[in-house]
Amino acid sequence: MTADGPPSAAQEEKTKVPPGVPTRQRIRTTSLAEQAHQALHLMIVRGELKPNERLAEPELCELLDISRTPLREAIKKLAAEGLVILRRHRNAVVAPIDAQELEHLFEVEAGLESMAIGLAAQRMTNTEINRLEALQERLERLVDKGDLDRYFEVNQRIHSLLVAGAKNPVLAETHQRLLGRLERARYLALGRFGRWHESANEHREILEALKIRDTELARRLLTEHVQHTGKVIAAICDDQ
């Protein structure tokens, strides 16, 4: 519109969109449900919401400053990821940590990531490997700083890049489906004294194998790395 009234016919003509040309769309921000999902996911992974803890909707609505509708959507998504158990006519609860399920998860994870890095050693570009090295250097600095939360974020990015390096979307999709439950277990393992120092060293060895394109060495090192994390988790479960 002009300052004095509606647009003229000439102005209207200029604003008409030619046939076949897509109209401009406003990019929507992340929905409230997605924001709630991300917040609750992080709280579960970090242990702020503990296994078997009831997800009281009024308290969570107040904490996240949202209504019940987006909160319930977020909880349903967490349930699909295996992090929450829905209960009929009752509040959902955080899924317990099942030692046998974790053993099975890490067996599958070891197989998937071993396959991924075997392909990545052949298919990753030098630029992608340089990106991994930059993340590795950042990981090692975070070890020195003792910043576990940021270390965990970078650790997850490294694993995701290794899987993406396989250039196999089916493999990546399968891995993504397991990620929620694996994240909680990995965070628990890294919180164990000394484990994240070991983990950083193991990542360095894996990176060096990738840089020389040694497929078998990279696969063996990554399999051992995932299995080692699984053993740490098993020990934690035994202590509880």
Short mmCIF file of all heavy atoms in Angstrom, two decimals, residues 104-171:
data_model
loop_
_atom_site.label_atom_id
_atom_site.label_comp_id
_atom_site.label_asym_id
_atom_site.label_seq_id
_atom_site.Cartn_x
_atom_site.Cartn_y
_atom_site.Cartn_z
N HIS A 104 22.72 -54.92 23.43
CA HIS A 104 22.28 -55.14 22.05
C HIS A 104 22.48 -53.90 21.19
O HIS A 104 22.90 -53.99 20.03
CB HIS A 104 20.81 -55.54 22.04
CG HIS A 104 20.55 -56.86 22.70
ND1 HIS A 104 19.31 -57.22 23.18
CD2 HIS A 104 21.39 -57.90 22.97
CE1 HIS A 104 19.40 -58.43 23.72
NE2 HIS A 104 20.63 -58.86 23.60
N LEU A 105 22.19 -52.72 21.78
CA LEU A 105 22.36 -51.47 21.05
C LEU A 105 23.81 -51.27 20.62
O LEU A 105 24.09 -50.88 19.48
CB LEU A 105 21.92 -50.28 21.90
CG LEU A 105 20.44 -49.94 21.91
CD1 LEU A 105 20.14 -48.90 22.99
CD2 LEU A 105 20.00 -49.40 20.55
N PHE A 106 24.73 -51.52 21.53
CA PHE A 106 26.14 -51.30 21.21
C PHE A 106 26.68 -52.34 20.24
O PHE A 106 27.60 -52.06 19.48
CB PHE A 106 26.98 -51.21 22.49
CG PHE A 106 26.98 -49.83 23.09
CD1 PHE A 106 26.12 -49.51 24.11
CD2 PHE A 106 27.81 -48.85 22.59
CE1 PHE A 106 26.09 -48.24 24.65
CE2 PHE A 106 27.80 -47.57 23.11
CZ PHE A 106 26.94 -47.26 24.15
N GLU A 107 26.10 -53.53 20.25
CA GLU A 107 26.47 -54.51 19.22
C GLU A 107 26.09 -54.00 17.84
O GLU A 107 26.88 -54.08 16.89
CB GLU A 107 25.76 -55.85 19.49
CG GLU A 107 26.36 -56.66 20.63
CD GLU A 107 25.59 -57.95 20.88
OE1 GLU A 107 24.52 -58.14 20.27
OE2 GLU A 107 26.07 -58.75 21.70
N VAL A 108 24.86 -53.48 17.74
CA VAL A 108 24.39 -52.94 16.46
C VAL A 108 25.20 -51.70 16.08
O VAL A 108 25.60 -51.54 14.92
CB VAL A 108 22.88 -52.60 16.53
CG1 VAL A 108 22.42 -51.90 15.26
CG2 VAL A 108 22.07 -53.86 16.76
N GLU A 109 25.44 -50.83 17.08
CA GLU A 109 26.21 -49.61 16.81
C GLU A 109 27.61 -49.92 16.30
O GLU A 109 28.10 -49.29 15.35
CB GLU A 109 26.29 -48.77 18.10
CG GLU A 109 27.16 -47.54 18.02
CD GLU A 109 26.54 -46.42 17.20
OE1 GLU A 109 25.49 -46.65 16.56
OE2 GLU A 109 27.09 -45.32 17.20
N ALA A 110 28.24 -50.90 16.93
CA ALA A 110 29.59 -51.28 16.48
C ALA A 110 29.57 -51.76 15.03
O ALA A 110 30.44 -51.41 14.23
CB ALA A 110 30.15 -52.38 17.40
N GLY A 111 28.55 -52.55 14.69
CA GLY A 111 28.44 -53.03 13.31
C GLY A 111 28.19 -51.91 12.32
O GLY A 111 28.83 -51.84 11.26
N LEU A 112 27.26 -51.01 12.66
CA LEU A 112 26.91 -49.91 11.76
C LEU A 112 28.09 -48.96 11.55
O LEU A 112 28.41 -48.59 10.42
CB LEU A 112 25.72 -49.13 12.32
CG LEU A 112 24.34 -49.75 12.19
CD1 LEU A 112 23.30 -48.89 12.91
CD2 LEU A 112 23.95 -49.91 10.72
N GLU A 113 28.73 -48.55 12.64
CA GLU A 113 29.81 -47.58 12.52
C GLU A 113 31.05 -48.21 11.90
O GLU A 113 31.82 -47.53 11.21
CB GLU A 113 30.10 -46.93 13.87
CG GLU A 113 28.96 -46.05 14.35
CD GLU A 113 29.37 -45.02 15.38
OE1 GLU A 113 30.56 -44.98 15.76
OE2 GLU A 113 28.49 -44.25 15.83
N SER A 114 31.26 -49.50 12.13
CA SER A 114 32.37 -50.18 11.47
C SER A 114 32.16 -50.20 9.96
O SER A 114 33.08 -49.92 9.18
CB SER A 114 32.49 -51.61 12.02
OG SER A 114 33.46 -52.33 11.29
N MET A 115 30.94 -50.51 9.54
CA MET A 115 30.62 -50.49 8.11
C MET A 115 30.78 -49.08 7.56
O MET A 115 31.35 -48.88 6.47
CB MET A 115 29.19 -50.97 7.89
CG MET A 115 28.76 -50.97 6.42
SD MET A 115 27.00 -51.37 6.22
CE MET A 115 26.97 -53.03 6.90
N ALA A 116 30.29 -48.09 8.34
CA ALA A 116 30.34 -46.70 7.87
C ALA A 116 31.77 -46.22 7.67
O ALA A 116 32.10 -45.62 6.64
CB ALA A 116 29.62 -45.79 8.87
N ILE A 117 32.63 -46.50 8.64
CA ILE A 117 34.00 -45.97 8.52
C ILE A 117 34.78 -46.72 7.45
O ILE A 117 35.68 -46.15 6.82
CB ILE A 117 34.73 -46.00 9.87
CG1 ILE A 117 35.89 -44.99 9.84
CG2 ILE A 117 35.23 -47.38 10.23
CD1 ILE A 117 36.51 -44.71 11.18
N GLY A 118 34.43 -47.99 7.21
CA GLY A 118 35.07 -48.71 6.11
C GLY A 118 34.78 -48.04 4.78
O GLY A 118 35.66 -47.91 3.93
N LEU A 119 33.54 -47.62 4.60
CA LEU A 119 33.16 -46.91 3.38
C LEU A 119 33.74 -45.49 3.38
O LEU A 119 34.18 -44.98 2.34
CB LEU A 119 31.64 -46.84 3.26
CG LEU A 119 30.94 -48.20 3.07
CD1 LEU A 119 29.43 -48.03 3.18
CD2 LEU A 119 31.31 -48.81 1.73
N ALA A 120 33.73 -44.85 4.56
CA ALA A 120 34.23 -43.47 4.66
C ALA A 120 35.71 -43.39 4.31
O ALA A 120 36.17 -42.40 3.71
CB ALA A 120 33.98 -42.93 6.06
N ALA A 121 36.47 -44.40 4.68
CA ALA A 121 37.91 -44.40 4.37
C ALA A 121 38.15 -44.35 2.87
O ALA A 121 39.18 -43.84 2.40
CB ALA A 121 38.57 -45.64 4.98
N GLN A 122 37.19 -44.86 2.10
CA GLN A 122 37.31 -44.83 0.65
C GLN A 122 36.65 -43.61 0.02
O GLN A 122 37.06 -43.15 -1.04
CB GLN A 122 36.66 -46.08 0.06
CG GLN A 122 37.18 -47.39 0.62
CD GLN A 122 36.31 -48.58 0.25
OE1 GLN A 122 35.82 -48.67 -0.87
NE2 GLN A 122 36.08 -49.49 1.19
N ARG A 123 35.60 -43.08 0.67
CA ARG A 123 34.76 -42.09 0.03
C ARG A 123 34.89 -40.67 0.58
O ARG A 123 34.47 -39.72 -0.10
CB ARG A 123 33.29 -42.53 0.15
CG ARG A 123 33.01 -43.85 -0.53
CD ARG A 123 31.58 -44.32 -0.29
NE ARG A 123 31.32 -45.60 -0.95
CZ ARG A 123 30.18 -46.28 -0.85
NH1 ARG A 123 29.19 -45.79 -0.11
NH2 ARG A 123 30.03 -47.43 -1.47
N MET A 124 35.40 -40.50 1.77
CA MET A 124 35.50 -39.14 2.33
C MET A 124 36.50 -38.31 1.53
O MET A 124 37.56 -38.82 1.13
CB MET A 124 35.93 -39.17 3.80
CG MET A 124 34.85 -39.61 4.76
SD MET A 124 35.34 -39.45 6.49
CE MET A 124 34.88 -37.74 6.79
N THR A 125 36.18 -37.06 1.32
CA THR A 125 37.11 -36.16 0.66
C THR A 125 38.15 -35.67 1.66
O THR A 125 37.97 -35.77 2.88
CB THR A 125 36.37 -34.94 0.08
OG1 THR A 125 35.82 -34.18 1.17
CG2 THR A 125 35.24 -35.37 -0.86
N ASN A 126 39.25 -35.14 1.14
CA ASN A 126 40.26 -34.57 2.03
C ASN A 126 39.69 -33.41 2.85
O ASN A 126 40.06 -33.22 4.01
CB ASN A 126 41.47 -34.11 1.21
CG ASN A 126 42.25 -35.28 0.64
OD1 ASN A 126 42.24 -36.38 1.20
ND2 ASN A 126 42.92 -35.05 -0.47
N THR A 127 38.78 -32.66 2.24
CA THR A 127 38.15 -31.55 2.96
C THR A 127 37.35 -32.06 4.16
O THR A 127 37.40 -31.47 5.25
CB THR A 127 37.21 -30.76 2.02
OG1 THR A 127 37.98 -30.23 0.94
CG2 THR A 127 36.50 -29.63 2.76
N GLU A 128 36.64 -33.15 3.97
CA GLU A 128 35.86 -33.73 5.07
C GLU A 128 36.77 -34.27 6.17
O GLU A 128 36.48 -34.13 7.36
CB GLU A 128 34.96 -34.84 4.53
CG GLU A 128 33.81 -34.31 3.68
CD GLU A 128 33.06 -35.41 2.94
OE1 GLU A 128 33.70 -36.41 2.55
OE2 GLU A 128 31.85 -35.26 2.75
N ILE A 129 37.88 -34.86 5.78
CA ILE A 129 38.83 -35.35 6.78
C ILE A 129 39.46 -34.19 7.53
O ILE A 129 39.68 -34.25 8.75
CB ILE A 129 39.90 -36.24 6.12
CG1 ILE A 129 39.24 -37.55 5.65
CG2 ILE A 129 41.04 -36.55 7.08
CD1 ILE A 129 40.17 -38.50 4.93
N ASN A 130 39.74 -33.09 6.83
CA ASN A 130 40.27 -31.90 7.50
C ASN A 130 39.26 -31.35 8.50
O ASN A 130 39.63 -30.86 9.58
CB ASN A 130 40.61 -30.82 6.48
CG ASN A 130 41.83 -31.19 5.65
OD1 ASN A 130 42.64 -32.02 6.06
ND2 ASN A 130 41.97 -30.58 4.48
N ARG A 131 37.97 -31.44 8.16
CA ARG A 131 36.92 -30.99 9.08
C ARG A 131 36.91 -31.87 10.33
O ARG A 131 36.75 -31.38 11.45
CB ARG A 131 35.58 -31.04 8.37
CG ARG A 131 34.44 -30.35 9.13
CD ARG A 131 33.16 -30.40 8.32
NE ARG A 131 33.36 -29.87 6.98
CZ ARG A 131 32.72 -30.27 5.89
NH1 ARG A 131 31.83 -31.25 5.98
NH2 ARG A 131 32.95 -29.73 4.73
N LEU A 132 37.09 -33.16 10.13
CA LEU A 132 37.17 -34.08 11.28
C LEU A 132 38.37 -33.75 12.16
O LEU A 132 38.29 -33.80 13.38
CB LEU A 132 37.29 -35.52 10.78
CG LEU A 132 36.00 -36.30 10.54
CD1 LEU A 132 36.34 -37.68 9.98
CD2 LEU A 132 35.20 -36.45 11.82
N GLU A 133 39.49 -33.42 11.52
CA GLU A 133 40.69 -33.10 12.29
C GLU A 133 40.48 -31.84 13.12
O GLU A 133 40.91 -31.76 14.27
CB GLU A 133 41.90 -32.95 11.37
CG GLU A 133 43.19 -32.67 12.14
CD GLU A 133 44.41 -33.17 11.40
OE1 GLU A 133 44.42 -33.11 10.16
OE2 GLU A 133 45.36 -33.62 12.07
N ALA A 134 39.79 -30.85 12.55
CA ALA A 134 39.51 -29.62 13.30
C ALA A 134 38.63 -29.92 14.51
O ALA A 134 38.84 -29.38 15.60
CB ALA A 134 38.82 -28.61 12.38
N LEU A 135 37.65 -30.81 14.33
CA LEU A 135 36.80 -31.20 15.46
C LEU A 135 37.59 -31.98 16.50
O LEU A 135 37.38 -31.82 17.71
CB LEU A 135 35.63 -32.05 14.96
CG LEU A 135 34.49 -31.31 14.26
CD1 LEU A 135 33.49 -32.30 13.67
CD2 LEU A 135 33.79 -30.36 15.22
N GLN A 136 38.51 -32.82 16.03
CA GLN A 136 39.34 -33.59 16.96
C GLN A 136 40.19 -32.66 17.82
O GLN A 136 40.32 -32.85 19.03
CB GLN A 136 40.25 -34.56 16.18
CG GLN A 136 41.23 -35.34 17.05
CD GLN A 136 40.56 -36.29 18.00
OE1 GLN A 136 39.49 -36.82 17.70
NE2 GLN A 136 41.16 -36.54 19.14
N GLU A 137 40.77 -31.64 17.20
CA GLU A 137 41.58 -30.69 17.95
C GLU A 137 40.74 -29.93 18.97
O GLU A 137 41.18 -29.68 20.10
CB GLU A 137 42.26 -29.71 16.98
CG GLU A 137 43.34 -30.39 16.13
CD GLU A 137 43.85 -29.50 15.02
OE1 GLU A 137 43.33 -28.36 14.87
OE2 GLU A 137 44.77 -29.93 14.30
N ARG A 138 39.50 -29.61 18.57
CA ARG A 138 38.59 -28.95 19.50
C ARG A 138 38.23 -29.89 20.66
O ARG A 138 38.17 -29.48 21.81
CB ARG A 138 37.34 -28.52 18.76
CG ARG A 138 36.38 -27.70 19.59
CD ARG A 138 35.19 -27.27 18.75
NE ARG A 138 34.18 -26.61 19.55
CZ ARG A 138 32.96 -26.33 19.14
NH1 ARG A 138 32.60 -26.64 17.90
NH2 ARG A 138 32.10 -25.73 19.93
N LEU A 139 38.04 -31.16 20.34
CA LEU A 139 37.71 -32.17 21.35
C LEU A 139 38.82 -32.24 22.40
O LEU A 139 38.56 -32.27 23.61
CB LEU A 139 37.54 -33.53 20.67
CG LEU A 139 36.90 -34.65 21.46
CD1 LEU A 139 35.39 -34.44 21.56
CD2 LEU A 139 37.17 -36.00 20.80
N GLU A 140 40.06 -32.25 21.94
CA GLU A 140 41.19 -32.37 22.85
C GLU A 140 41.34 -31.13 23.72
O GLU A 140 41.72 -31.23 24.90
CB GLU A 140 42.46 -32.65 22.04
CG GLU A 140 42.44 -34.04 21.40
CD GLU A 140 43.50 -34.25 20.34
OE1 GLU A 140 44.27 -33.29 20.06
OE2 GLU A 140 43.56 -35.36 19.76
N ARG A 141 41.01 -29.96 23.18
CA ARG A 141 41.05 -28.73 24.00
C ARG A 141 39.99 -28.78 25.08
O ARG A 141 40.22 -28.31 26.21
CB ARG A 141 40.85 -27.50 23.11
CG ARG A 141 42.02 -27.18 22.20
CD ARG A 141 41.93 -25.77 21.63
NE ARG A 141 40.76 -25.59 20.80
CZ ARG A 141 40.72 -25.81 19.49
NH1 ARG A 141 41.81 -26.25 18.86
NH2 ARG A 141 39.62 -25.60 18.78
N LEU A 142 38.82 -29.35 24.76
CA LEU A 142 37.74 -29.43 25.74
C LEU A 142 38.07 -30.42 26.85
O LEU A 142 37.62 -30.25 27.98
CB LEU A 142 36.43 -29.81 25.04
CG LEU A 142 35.85 -28.73 24.13
CD1 LEU A 142 34.69 -29.28 23.30
CD2 LEU A 142 35.38 -27.52 24.94
N VAL A 143 38.85 -31.44 26.53
CA VAL A 143 39.33 -32.36 27.57
C VAL A 143 40.17 -31.58 28.57
O VAL A 143 40.00 -31.71 29.79
CB VAL A 143 40.15 -33.52 26.96
CG1 VAL A 143 40.83 -34.32 28.07
CG2 VAL A 143 39.26 -34.44 26.16
N ASP A 144 41.08 -30.76 28.05
CA ASP A 144 41.95 -29.97 28.92
C ASP A 144 41.16 -28.98 29.78
O ASP A 144 41.51 -28.72 30.93
CB ASP A 144 42.98 -29.20 28.08
CG ASP A 144 43.95 -30.14 27.36
OD1 ASP A 144 44.14 -31.28 27.84
OD2 ASP A 144 44.50 -29.74 26.32
N LYS A 145 40.06 -28.46 29.23
CA LYS A 145 39.23 -27.51 29.97
C LYS A 145 38.28 -28.20 30.96
O LYS A 145 37.75 -27.56 31.86
CB LYS A 145 38.40 -26.67 29.00
CG LYS A 145 39.20 -25.68 28.17
CD LYS A 145 38.28 -24.89 27.24
CE LYS A 145 39.05 -23.89 26.41
NZ LYS A 145 38.15 -23.14 25.48
N GLY A 146 38.07 -29.49 30.75
CA GLY A 146 37.13 -30.21 31.61
C GLY A 146 35.68 -29.87 31.34
O GLY A 146 34.84 -29.98 32.23
N ASP A 147 35.38 -29.48 30.10
CA ASP A 147 34.01 -29.09 29.73
C ASP A 147 33.30 -30.29 29.13
O ASP A 147 33.31 -30.52 27.92
CB ASP A 147 34.06 -27.93 28.72
CG ASP A 147 32.70 -27.30 28.46
OD1 ASP A 147 31.68 -27.98 28.71
OD2 ASP A 147 32.66 -26.14 28.01
N LEU A 148 32.64 -31.08 30.00
CA LEU A 148 32.03 -32.33 29.56
C LEU A 148 30.88 -32.12 28.58
O LEU A 148 30.78 -32.84 27.58
CB LEU A 148 31.54 -33.12 30.77
CG LEU A 148 30.82 -34.45 30.46
CD1 LEU A 148 31.71 -35.39 29.66
CD2 LEU A 148 30.34 -35.12 31.73
N ASP A 149 30.02 -31.13 28.84
CA ASP A 149 28.85 -30.96 27.98
C ASP A 149 29.25 -30.58 26.55
O ASP A 149 28.71 -31.13 25.58
CB ASP A 149 27.91 -29.90 28.57
CG ASP A 149 27.16 -30.42 29.79
OD1 ASP A 149 27.08 -31.65 29.97
OD2 ASP A 149 26.66 -29.59 30.58
N ARG A 150 30.17 -29.64 26.42
CA ARG A 150 30.60 -29.25 25.07
C ARG A 150 31.42 -30.37 24.42
O ARG A 150 31.36 -30.59 23.22
CB ARG A 150 31.40 -27.95 25.13
CG ARG A 150 30.56 -26.73 25.48
CD ARG A 150 31.36 -25.47 25.45
NE ARG A 150 31.85 -25.18 24.11
CZ ARG A 150 32.86 -24.33 23.85
NH1 ARG A 150 33.47 -23.70 24.83
NH2 ARG A 150 33.24 -24.11 22.61
N TYR A 151 32.20 -31.09 25.24
CA TYR A 151 32.94 -32.24 24.73
C TYR A 151 31.96 -33.25 24.14
O TYR A 151 32.19 -33.79 23.04
CB TYR A 151 33.73 -32.90 25.87
CG TYR A 151 34.43 -34.18 25.48
CD1 TYR A 151 35.78 -34.19 25.12
CD2 TYR A 151 33.73 -35.39 25.44
CE1 TYR A 151 36.41 -35.36 24.74
CE2 TYR A 151 34.37 -36.57 25.06
CZ TYR A 151 35.69 -36.55 24.72
OH TYR A 151 36.31 -37.70 24.33
N PHE A 152 30.87 -33.51 24.84
CA PHE A 152 29.90 -34.48 24.38
C PHE A 152 29.29 -34.05 23.04
O PHE A 152 29.10 -34.87 22.13
CB PHE A 152 28.79 -34.66 25.42
CG PHE A 152 27.72 -35.62 25.01
CD1 PHE A 152 27.97 -36.97 24.96
CD2 PHE A 152 26.46 -35.16 24.65
CE1 PHE A 152 26.98 -37.87 24.57
CE2 PHE A 152 25.47 -36.06 24.25
CZ PHE A 152 25.73 -37.41 24.22
N GLU A 153 28.99 -32.76 22.90
CA GLU A 153 28.42 -32.25 21.65
C GLU A 153 29.37 -32.48 20.48
O GLU A 153 28.96 -32.92 19.40
CB GLU A 153 28.11 -30.76 21.79
CG GLU A 153 26.98 -30.44 22.76
CD GLU A 153 26.84 -28.96 23.02
OE1 GLU A 153 27.52 -28.17 22.33
OE2 GLU A 153 26.05 -28.59 23.91
N VAL A 154 30.65 -32.18 20.70
CA VAL A 154 31.63 -32.37 19.62
C VAL A 154 31.83 -33.85 19.33
O VAL A 154 31.95 -34.27 18.17
CB VAL A 154 32.98 -31.70 20.01
CG1 VAL A 154 34.05 -32.00 18.95
CG2 VAL A 154 32.79 -30.19 20.15
N ASN A 155 31.84 -34.67 20.37
CA ASN A 155 31.96 -36.12 20.20
C ASN A 155 30.83 -36.65 19.32
O ASN A 155 31.06 -37.47 18.41
CB ASN A 155 31.91 -36.79 21.57
CG ASN A 155 32.02 -38.30 21.49
OD1 ASN A 155 33.08 -38.85 21.21
ND2 ASN A 155 30.91 -38.99 21.74
N GLN A 156 29.61 -36.18 19.55
CA GLN A 156 28.47 -36.62 18.74
C GLN A 156 28.61 -36.17 17.29
O GLN A 156 28.27 -36.90 16.36
CB GLN A 156 27.17 -36.07 19.33
CG GLN A 156 26.78 -36.70 20.66
CD GLN A 156 26.54 -38.19 20.53
OE1 GLN A 156 27.43 -39.00 20.77
NE2 GLN A 156 25.34 -38.56 20.15
N ARG A 157 29.12 -34.95 17.09
CA ARG A 157 29.32 -34.44 15.73
C ARG A 157 30.34 -35.29 14.99
O ARG A 157 30.19 -35.57 13.78
CB ARG A 157 29.76 -32.99 15.77
CG ARG A 157 28.66 -32.01 16.16
CD ARG A 157 29.18 -30.59 16.20
NE ARG A 157 29.62 -30.15 14.88
CZ ARG A 157 30.28 -29.01 14.66
NH1 ARG A 157 30.57 -28.21 15.68
NH2 ARG A 157 30.65 -28.67 13.44
N ILE A 158 31.38 -35.73 15.68
CA ILE A 158 32.40 -36.56 15.04
C ILE A 158 31.80 -37.89 14.59
O ILE A 158 32.01 -38.33 13.45
CB ILE A 158 33.59 -36.79 16.01
CG1 ILE A 158 34.39 -35.49 16.16
CG2 ILE A 158 34.49 -37.93 15.51
CD1 ILE A 158 35.49 -35.56 17.19
N HIS A 159 31.03 -38.52 15.47
CA HIS A 159 30.41 -39.79 15.09
C HIS A 159 29.46 -39.60 13.92
O HIS A 159 29.40 -40.44 13.00
CB HIS A 159 29.67 -40.39 16.29
CG HIS A 159 30.56 -41.15 17.23
ND1 HIS A 159 30.83 -42.49 17.09
CD2 HIS A 159 31.27 -40.74 18.31
CE1 HIS A 159 31.65 -42.88 18.05
NE2 HIS A 159 31.93 -41.84 18.81
N SER A 160 28.71 -38.50 13.92
CA SER A 160 27.77 -38.24 12.83
C SER A 160 28.51 -38.02 11.51
O SER A 160 28.08 -38.49 10.45
CB SER A 160 26.90 -37.02 13.16
OG SER A 160 26.05 -37.30 14.26
N LEU A 161 29.63 -37.30 11.56
CA LEU A 161 30.41 -37.05 10.34
C LEU A 161 31.03 -38.34 9.81
O LEU A 161 31.12 -38.53 8.60
CB LEU A 161 31.51 -36.02 10.62
CG LEU A 161 31.07 -34.55 10.60
CD1 LEU A 161 32.24 -33.65 10.97
CD2 LEU A 161 30.54 -34.16 9.22
N LEU A 162 31.44 -39.21 10.70
CA LEU A 162 32.00 -40.49 10.27
C LEU A 162 30.95 -41.30 9.52
O LEU A 162 31.24 -41.91 8.48
CB LEU A 162 32.51 -41.28 11.48
CG LEU A 162 33.79 -40.76 12.14
CD1 LEU A 162 34.09 -41.56 13.40
CD2 LEU A 162 34.97 -40.82 11.18
N VAL A 163 29.73 -41.31 10.05
CA VAL A 163 28.66 -42.05 9.38
C VAL A 163 28.29 -41.37 8.06
O VAL A 163 28.10 -42.04 7.04
CB VAL A 163 27.42 -42.16 10.30
CG1 VAL A 163 26.24 -42.78 9.56
CG2 VAL A 163 27.76 -43.01 11.53
N ALA A 164 28.20 -40.04 8.07
CA ALA A 164 27.89 -39.30 6.84
C ALA A 164 28.95 -39.53 5.78
O ALA A 164 28.65 -39.53 4.57
CB ALA A 164 27.75 -37.82 7.14
N GLY A 165 30.20 -39.74 6.21
CA GLY A 165 31.29 -39.95 5.27
C GLY A 165 31.17 -41.21 4.44
O GLY A 165 31.82 -41.35 3.41
N ALA A 166 30.30 -42.12 4.88
CA ALA A 166 30.08 -43.35 4.11
C ALA A 166 29.31 -43.07 2.83
O ALA A 166 29.30 -43.91 1.91
CB ALA A 166 29.32 -44.37 4.96
N LYS A 167 28.64 -41.92 2.77
CA LYS A 167 27.84 -41.54 1.59
C LYS A 167 26.76 -42.59 1.28
O LYS A 167 26.51 -42.91 0.12
CB LYS A 167 28.75 -41.34 0.37
CG LYS A 167 29.93 -40.40 0.58
CD LYS A 167 29.50 -38.96 0.70
CE LYS A 167 30.67 -38.00 0.53
NZ LYS A 167 31.74 -38.10 1.52
N ASN A 168 26.17 -43.11 2.35
CA ASN A 168 25.13 -44.12 2.20
C ASN A 168 23.92 -43.68 3.01
O ASN A 168 23.90 -43.83 4.24
CB ASN A 168 25.64 -45.48 2.70
CG ASN A 168 24.64 -46.60 2.48
OD1 ASN A 168 23.46 -46.44 2.71
ND2 ASN A 168 25.13 -47.75 2.03
N PRO A 169 22.91 -43.10 2.36
CA PRO A 169 21.77 -42.55 3.10
C PRO A 169 20.97 -43.58 3.88
O PRO A 169 20.41 -43.26 4.94
CB PRO A 169 20.90 -41.92 1.99
CG PRO A 169 21.37 -42.51 0.71
CD PRO A 169 22.80 -42.86 0.91
N VAL A 170 20.92 -44.82 3.42
CA VAL A 170 20.20 -45.87 4.16
C VAL A 170 20.91 -46.16 5.48
O VAL A 170 20.29 -46.28 6.54
CB VAL A 170 20.06 -47.15 3.31
CG1 VAL A 170 19.40 -48.26 4.12
CG2 VAL A 170 19.25 -46.86 2.05
N LEU A 171 22.22 -46.25 5.42
CA LEU A 171 23.01 -46.48 6.62
C LEU A 171 22.84 -45.31 7.59
O LEU A 171 22.66 -45.51 8.80
CB LEU A 171 24.48 -46.68 6.24
CG LEU A 171 25.42 -47.27 7.29
CD1 LEU A 171 26.63 -47.89 6.62
CD2 LEU A 171 25.88 -46.24 8.30
#
